[in-house]
Amino acid sequence: MKRKITLKQIARELDVSISTVSKALKNSKEISADTIQKVQAFAKLYNYRPNNIALSLKNRKTNTIGIIIPEIVHHFFSKVIRGVELVANKRGYNVIIGLSNESFSKEVINMEMLANGSIDGFILSMSKETLLQQDYHHYNETMSQGMPIVMFDRVVSDIKCDKVIVDDFNGAKNAVQKLISNNCKHIALITTKDYVSVGRLRTQGYLQALEENKITPQAELILKMDDTLDYEVHLEKLETEIEHLFKAHKYIDGVFAVNELYALSAMKVARRMGLNVPNDIQVIGFTDGVLSKHSTPTLTTVSQHAQLMGERAADLLIDKIESEFSIEEEQFQTVVINTELVERESTK
């Protein structure tokens, strides 16, 4: 394997200055065609690649952005990444992806590692542990060093930065309104603990839809799951809790779940109990993932337009990186992505 070669070594081998090598590699008109050909041929022979970190130390710019996501298995996050990649590549930027695995410490480590000269800015969705601890020092420290951050999906008002969110409240409200319009009288909610902002907003949308239709909310029909548990343990506990809910309240005729997993689990439990979806019980889930299209029956969902969310986040970040505003002039915006109800077989 050939050793990585530097500008200095190329200059020494060809008996020219480092500046001449640098300009020749960029096809500068200041350098003769013969010298350009020699330098580029030598660089190609020895597989020369510019050192982006060294360039960033000199130019303070790497044309690379970092994405920190809380989990990799979720279809929603893969679609966001796709949107970021599309815009980033179009605008001449590379993308590095970091995974926090819902851990505060891993989120901090990822940000510290990438902020050390590797990237120009972050696009991130907060880990559940960060939300639970409400410790945001690493965001503020990163931005105080002049590195912009754009948050998406899971955000907090305490952090002053650009944000891209989905209209969780109205998305949930419209989904529950669909169930009510389909003559559901007793609608259960399967949601997360309130510290997760998206779960809290979707819960509020559920309650608002009931209120507007003069349906009194029943606390016993709201199931709040602790999703910080190990995935397999969480899944087993989820199905057990849903079964208890359905057995204790046999009159439930509709379910709104704040994510795809909860909705599909509700359908699985209902079928196991001999209930027909949608004739006995109708189900709607937030997030239009791959599984929703292939479940039996297929699941009616609230689409978040995840790819569009990624595209908007990338544009916001790159605009910020390339802007020349001073810190005092800096202004932030929150982009709200509208949801769409995708009707399938789990509702009438």
Side-chain angles (χ1 to χ4, degrees):
M1 193 173 101
K2 292 170 183 159
R3 287 178 58 195
K4 189 171 181 180
I5 197 166
T6 65
L7 287 179
K8 188 176 181 179
Q9 288 170 313
I10 296 173
R12 187 171 61 240
E13 290 293 330
L14 299 178
D15 196 24
V16 294
S17 69
I18 294 173
S19 174
T20 297
V21 172
S22 179
K23 289 176 180 177
L25 291 170
K26 295 173 185 173
N27 293 307
S28 171
K29 291 179 181 177
E30 297 175 39
I31 309 301
S32 69
D34 183 53
T35 302
I36 288 175
Q37 186 181 1
K38 282 181 183 175
V39 169
Q40 291 187 357
F42 192 89
K44 185 176 180 181
L45 178 65
Y46 287 92
N47 200 28
Y48 171 76
R49 292 287 183 274
N51 185 332
N52 284 332
I53 293 178
L55 285 173
S56 75
L57 294 174
K58 181 181 177 183
N59 304 323
R60 306 306 301 168
K61 200 159 184 292
T62 64
N63 279 66
T64 303
I65 58 180
I67 308 176
I68 307 290
I69 56 171
E71 54 177 299
I72 200 69
V73 294
H74 204 304
H75 182 65
F76 167 75
F77 290 114
S78 64
K79 294 276 281 185
V80 171
I81 291 170
R82 184 182 178 192
V84 172
E85 280 265 352
L86 281 172
V87 169
N89 292 341
K90 198 178 293 182
R91 296 186 62 173
Y93 284 75
N94 298 311
V95 175
I96 293 178
I97 300 165
L99 180 65
S100 70
N101 256 336
E102 303 289 13
S103 161
F104 169 77
S105 61
K106 285 184 180 177
E107 186 176 278
V108 173
I109 290 167
N110 268 299
M111 290 189 71
E112 286 179 349
M113 179 180 68
L114 292 176
N116 192 24
S118 300
I119 62 165
D120 299 325
F122 284 103
I123 294 171
L124 62 89
S125 185
M126 302 169 72
S127 74
K128 284 173 184 167
E129 199 171 51
T130 304
L131 286 164
L132 188 59
Q133 293 183 14
Q134 297 182 13
D135 184 346
Y136 313 131
H137 77 275
H138 50 308
Y139 305 139
N140 291 320
E141 286 175 7
T142 300
M143 289 186 291
S144 70
Q145 294 170 15
M147 184 166 288
I149 289 176
V150 174
M151 289 184 166
F152 73 93
D153 191 44
R154 300 179 193 165
V155 304
V156 287
S157 57
D158 297 5
I159 305 301
K160 304 302 177 193
C161 68
D162 290 322
K163 294 160 188 158
V164 183
I165 58 173
V166 71
D167 191 350
D168 290 293
F169 176 84
N170 282 309
K173 182 181 149 188
N174 293 338
V176 176
Q177 182 59 57
K178 169 66 180 173
L179 292 172
I180 294 169
S181 300
N182 283 3
N183 295 316
C184 293
K185 307 293 183 189
H186 307 284
I187 302 168
L189 170 69
I190 308 173
T191 185
T192 58
K193 299 290 186 182
D194 283 343
Y195 69 87
V196 181
S197 57
V198 293
R200 184 173 65 250
L201 287 166
R202 292 168 195 175
T203 298
Q204 290 169 1
Y206 159 86
L207 294 170
Q208 184 65 29
L210 296 184
E211 185 180 319
E212 288 182 6
N213 287 273
K214 297 182 171 51
I215 299 172
T216 304
Q218 297 173 258
E220 60 269 24
L221 297 189
I222 298 176
L223 178 59
K224 291 189 177 183
M225 295 300 303
D226 177 9
D227 54 1
T228 59
L229 302 169
D230 173 79
Y231 181 78
E232 294 297 332
V233 175
H234 174 55
L235 195 58
E236 186 178 335
K237 185 175 174 60
L238 173 65
E239 290 185 14
T240 302
E241 294 283 345
I242 292 172
E243 189 169 340
H244 287 163
L245 178 70
F246 288 173
K247 283 180 176 176
H249 309 285
K250 291 188 165 74
Y251 51 82
I252 291 172
D253 53 7
V255 173
F256 172 61
V258 301
N259 60 42
E260 184 181 59
L261 174 65
Y262 290 3
L264 293 174
S265 297
M267 290 205 301
K268 180 181 176 182
V269 171
R271 288 199 309 275
R272 195 164 64 210
M273 293 175 63
L275 297 171
N276 178 276
V277 180
N279 294 330
D280 298 321
I281 188 167
Q282 299 182 57
V283 182
I284 297 179
F286 218 102
T287 305
D288 189 35
V290 174
L291 298 177
S292 301
K293 302 175 183 70
H294 301 288
S295 62
T296 304
T298 54
L299 178 66
T300 294
T301 61
V302 179
S303 173
Q304 297 165 278
H305 302 295
Q307 182 174 320
L308 176 60
M309 184 177 276
E311 291 173 8
R312 296 301 300 275
D315 272 325
L316 279 174
L317 182 63
I318 295 169
D319 286 348
K320 189 72 75 177
I321 290 167
E322 296 180 351
S323 71
E324 296 180 0
F325 290 119
S326 66
I327 293 172
E328 293 77 12
E329 296 172 316
E330 198 163 22
Q331 296 180 332
F332 303 108
Q333 59 179 301
T334 297
V335 174
V336 181
I337 306 291
N338 291 324
T339 61
E340 177 188 359
L341 190 65
V342 181
E343 295 186 41
R344 297 196 181 95
E345 297 167 350
S346 67
T347 51
K348 294 178 181 175

